[in-house]
Amino acid sequence: MNPKWIPVAFFIESLFLYGLGLGIAKYLGATILWDRLWIGVFWMGCLQFGGIFLLRSISKTLTVENNGRPPSSPFSSDFILSIAAFASLASLTVLMIANRLFTLDVLWVALMAVLGTLISAKVIRIAEIERFREVVLSFGMAVLVPWFAFLLQTGEYHRFLPIVTLPILALRMAMILSYQLSTYAHDLNTKNPTLMVRVGWQNGMTLHNLLILFAFALIAFGNVIGVPLSIGLPPMAALVVGTWQIWSMRRIAQGDKPNWRGLIWGGAALYGLVIYLYAYSFWIR
């Protein structure tokens, strides 16, 4: 993907996940408060854009330093954009505090989101956590975004949140692994420590398949422990795409010529389809 489109892709993904959180709240009887909806969307958007532009700024600085050349300017355009985004985030946070929107649950999720953003942007560098940067980023997107949307509307936790978001987290990780397999040789040569490089391509392909199976096992388990079948059954339809992904990965492992475009888009389609089917099921009931 063209790096210029990454912020847009993240924002669109966040909108779908935010809509999922709102759908759960609506299904459970909460009245959607539009002022809270918009302030929540802009808050998450400022946090994400700030993190993306800050990561770009830090990455460019490190690249220049590694090449032995001094940076042309201490304040790049990406750095200025990140400061603007974080300044807007601070303003929205003050507004939310003034309107008493930060319950204990909302505060916990917001702090986790900020911490995850700083780790993903390499501002906070802890060796043990750095090795799981993809997990931190996926947790921030697949789990914290819908939780934030839900809690901002209702103010309290509900057991549907982990039941719905944990399978989505697993599928996001599988999507990342399918993409990183396509860039494995390049990442290995350039010493880019992606998750696939760190675990090895064979282990990575096995992990990809297990994550897909684990996700649908969680969805099925959710149907057993209290999620109505009218909500939990539609996402199971995406198992067809999941099976195709596992089959494609096994063919690559057996030495067949890989269809990288099909594998990458298949992973994205599986992830997006489960989000859509969950969100649609919640919203129409």
Side-chain angles (χ1 to χ4, degrees):
M1 177 185 292
N2 190 319
K4 294 181 179 179
W5 291 102
I6 290 178
V8 178
F10 269 100
F11 188 66
I12 293 174
E13 178 188 0
S14 295
L15 289 179
F16 278 100
L17 289 165
Y18 202 95
L20 172 60
L22 292 175
I24 298 173
K26 177 182 177 296
Y27 174 79
L28 294 173
T31 301
I32 301 299
L33 303 174
W34 291 95
D35 55 341
R36 296 190 179 194
L37 186 157
W38 289 115
I39 198 171
V41 168
F42 285 120
W43 193 93
M44 293 300 300
C46 288
L47 180 62
Q48 289 178 358
F49 283 126
I52 290 171
F53 289 124
L54 187 58
L55 174 61
R56 284 184 178 180
S57 176
I58 292 174
S59 298
K60 288 178 180 177
T61 301
L62 292 175
T63 301
V64 169
E65 290 178 352
N66 291 336
N67 291 335
R69 293 182 285 109
S72 57
S73 171
F75 302 109
S76 64
S77 58
D78 287 327
F79 181 76
I80 294 172
L81 287 172
S82 70
I83 293 300
F86 284 127
S88 300
L89 179 70
S91 300
L92 290 172
T93 301
V94 171
L95 180 62
M96 292 172 70
I97 293 173
N99 287 275
R100 299 180 179 179
L101 299 183
F102 277 111
T103 64
L104 184 60
D105 289 333
V106 174
L107 179 61
W108 177 84
V109 170
L111 290 176
M112 289 286 289
V114 172
L115 180 62
T117 299
L118 295 179
I119 292 173
S120 299
K122 298 182 179 180
V123 176
I124 299 177
R125 308 195 73 172
I126 303 173
E128 290 76 11
I129 299 178
E130 186 75 11
R131 288 178 291 182
F132 300 98
R133 203 161 62 88
E134 291 94 342
V135 180
V136 172
L137 177 60
S138 293
F139 183 83
M141 292 294 294
V143 176
L144 295 184
V145 171
W147 281 45
F148 184 76
F150 177 88
L151 293 171
L152 201 58
Q153 294 291 328
T154 65
E156 57 185 9
Y157 167 85
H158 193 276
R159 61 188 176 87
F160 276 6
L161 291 174
I163 293 174
V164 171
T165 57
L166 287 180
I168 294 173
L169 171 61
L171 292 176
R172 195 181 197 281
M173 290 301 303
M175 177 183 68
I176 290 174
L177 286 171
S178 65
Y179 173 77
Q180 290 182 350
L181 181 63
S182 68
T183 62
Y184 179 80
H186 177 267
D187 292 332
L188 197 62
N189 291 331
T190 57
K191 297 182 179 180
N192 182 20
T194 64
L195 179 61
M196 183 65 76
V197 170
R198 293 195 299 272
V199 302
W201 66 270
Q202 290 176 312
N203 292 332
M205 287 193 285
T206 301
L207 179 60
H208 168 273
N209 295 342
L210 290 176
L211 283 169
I212 292 176
L213 294 175
F214 180 64
F216 284 101
L218 286 177
I219 295 172
F221 182 67
N223 296 335
V224 174
I225 62 175
V227 176
L229 291 179
S230 59
I231 301 295
L233 279 183
M236 290 297 295
L239 183 58
V240 176
V241 183
T243 303
W244 187 85
Q245 280 294 102
I246 293 173
W247 176 77
S248 299
M249 194 65 78
R250 287 181 60 85
R251 283 176 58 88
I252 294 174
Q254 292 168 358
D256 290 353
K257 183 179 179 180
N259 178 7
W260 294 128
R261 181 172 296 182
L263 185 69
I264 294 170
W265 282 104
L270 176 61
Y271 172 61
L273 185 59
V274 171
I275 295 173
Y276 171 78
L277 291 174
Y278 258 135
Y280 181 79
S281 300
F282 279 116
W283 273 100
I284 65 172
R285 288 174 176 83

